Amino acid sequence: MGKRKSKAKPPPKKRMDKLDTVFSCPFCNHGSSVECRIDMKNLIGEALCRICQENFSMTVTALTEPIDIYSEWIDECERVNNVEDDVA
């Protein structure tokens, strides 16, 4: 008679690193001055610079992260700059 084979334990799940909530401002270029907040009650995400008081708001979903709000703000800035370049 032989021994029963023991079940191998599954590998531990990798813990996801936390994403940043503080970024550099695209207007004043001050590092770590833009803070992103998500209000799930009102479904509003806001990015606000503590130095130059620039802000950006957008609607959010349950999957939205602070980096998504900041990235959307940067994309919107680029869109506005491209439209101004096309007109000029």
Side-chain angles (χ1 to χ4, degrees), residues 29-52:
N29 291 325
H30 196 276
S32 301
S33 64
V34 175
E35 184 177 0
C36 294
R37 297 189 199 127
I38 299 175
D39 181 8
M40 289 307 294
K41 184 177 179 185
N42 297 322
L43 296 177
I44 294 175
E46 182 178 35
L48 175 68
C49 178
R50 293 187 295 254
I51 306 300
C52 66

Side-chain angles (χ1 to χ4, degrees), residues 7-8 13-14 23 25-27 29 36-38 51 55-56 58-59 61 66 74 82 85:
K7 251 187 186 177
K13 292 186 179 180
K14 292 183 181 178
F23 308 97
C25 180
F27 293 97
N29 291 325
C36 294
R37 297 189 199 127
I38 299 175
I51 306 300
N55 65 351
F56 175 76
M58 64 177 272
T59 58
T61 64
I74 298 299
N82 287 340
D85 291 343

Side-chain angles (χ1 to χ4, degrees), residues 74-86:
I74 298 299
D75 292 344
E76 188 64 30
C77 291
E78 288 177 0
R79 257 184 253 132
V80 169
N81 288 338
N82 287 340
V83 168
E84 289 177 0
D85 291 343
D86 292 342

